[in-house]
Every structure is written in C-alpha cells, then in structure tokens.
Amino acid sequence: MQITINADFVSVISAIVAIIAMLISVSQTRIARKALRLSEAQEEQRKPNFEFSDILDCYVVNNISDNYVHFHFLVFCTNLSDKSMVVKNLTLTVMGDSSSIILHPVVNGVNSPVGLSIPANQSITEWIHFDLLREQYHSLKILNHVISIEDSFGNKREKTAIFIREELIQDGE
C-alpha cells in the first residue's frame, strides 16, 4: 500500500486549516469586543453620577413685614452610580432683566442640603430654602430661576424654573 501525497493536497489541507483558524479568530474577536463593552458599561455604572430629575414644587413667600423674600424649592435627585454621592455645592441663580444674583441655601435647623448624602442607586426628595433681600427681589425684574447641584466628584446638574407661585402676606392677615 502506497500513500501518495502531492503538493495540491497539502495546499488544500493548509487552506482549510487557515480558514478554520481565521473563523475562530473572528469569533474570538467578537467575544472580546462584547466583553469590552460589558466591562465599559460596568465601569460607567461605578463612576459617580447623578441626575437632577425635576423641581417638583416651588413657591416664594413674600411677607411685607419681613426684610427677606423666601424661595422654597422641592427637588428630586437620583444617584445613578454604585457609590454614595454627597452634595458639595448648591446654588440658586436668580436671573433678572439685566443682572443676576447667586444665592446659597438657608440652613433650617439641622437640615442642610449641602453635605447631604444620597445612597447608591437611590433617589431623594428635599426642600431647599433660599432668602433674598426684598429690595433686590423687586429691582431684579426676575425672568427665571436656575438651581445648580454639584456633587463631591465635580459632577454638576442644573434645572430651570420659569414660573413660581408667590404667596403675598400683608400685615393683619
């Protein structure tokens, strides 16, 4: 019994092996690309990130006998990451016709929104209070109000409130 192997047979076998190796390599590349995307998505979830979803309610208390006008905002924030988030800075920019004023929240008792911690993957609803001098309130000709929240990692989100209810309180009422 004599086995004859010629060059054409070896070339065909080599080509088949090369094609199989290429298909395996392409398959491994696709699997590696999917693993990379999954790893990037997991890493993105770990990054500190939050969403300032909405201003649920807002109103101004304008008491004629008081030197200040009091702004009240009910905000809704969601921590989207796997780490706790701490509110580092919170401001209200009152934009007028020709100028604007930046206000910081008033501390009500022991409740202060600055330093507030939001647990991982959870939401909070919080009232935030600001005070503005009555003379400034009337001279600004207010167009809108922008609340800005910044976390301890430097992520900053803003929401604008254009219409705000005003409660006018006069003496004797």
Side-chain angles (χ1 to χ4, degrees):
M1 168 169 195
Q2 183 179 14
I3 298 176
T4 309
I5 300 176
N6 58 18
D8 291 337
F9 182 73
V10 172
S11 297
V12 169
I13 296 296
S14 297
I16 291 172
V17 170
I19 289 173
I20 292 172
M22 180 187 72
L23 291 175
I24 291 172
S25 175
V26 168
S27 173
Q28 291 298 320
T29 302
R30 291 183 71 220
I31 291 170
R33 188 171 292 153
K34 287 180 182 177
L36 176 65
R37 279 191 288 234
L38 177 63
S39 176
E40 287 173 345
Q42 288 174 339
E43 185 62 32
E44 187 66 31
Q45 283 182 335
R46 286 188 196 110
K47 281 185 181 176
N49 188 14
F50 74 98
E51 182 179 274
F52 181 10
S53 303
D54 203 4
I55 299 172
L56 301 175
D57 192 13
C58 53
Y59 64 95
V60 175
V61 176
N62 189 352
N63 188 344
I64 302 296
S65 64
D66 195 356
N67 291 333
Y68 290 94
V69 175
H70 308 282
F71 293 88
H72 302 275
F73 292 89
L74 181 61
V75 298
F76 180 69
C77 289
T78 304
N79 185 357
L80 301 173
S81 74
D82 293 338
K83 295 180 181 177
S84 295
M85 179 199 110
V86 175
V87 176
K88 174 184 170 188
N89 194 11
L90 197 136
T91 59
L92 170 66
T93 305
V94 182
M95 296 184 180
D97 206 13
S98 60
S99 64
S100 63
I101 294 177
I102 297 175
L103 303 174
H104 293 283
V106 175
V107 177
N108 271 349
V110 295
N111 247 0
S112 174
V114 175
L116 179 69
S117 178
I118 303 174
N121 298 314
Q122 292 192 17
S123 300
I124 63 156
T125 304
E126 188 75 27
W127 278 102
I128 305 169
H129 308 281
F130 301 91
D131 287 344
L132 178 64
L133 286 170
R134 177 172 309 292
E135 296 82 29
Q136 291 175 331
Y137 178 74
H138 290 297
S139 67
L140 266 178
K141 298 178 185 166
I142 298 172
L143 299 174
N144 64 18
H145 307 76
V146 178
I147 293 183
S148 175
I149 299 176
E150 182 180 1
D151 69 1
S152 58
F153 299 101
N155 300 317
K156 188 174 184 179
R157 305 289 186 270
E158 294 180 343
K159 280 287 182 197
T160 301
I162 297 173
F163 299 108
I164 295 182
R165 292 184 329 234
E166 182 174 8
E167 296 179 12
L168 185 61
I169 301 172
Q170 297 178 352
D171 289 336
E173 288 187 17

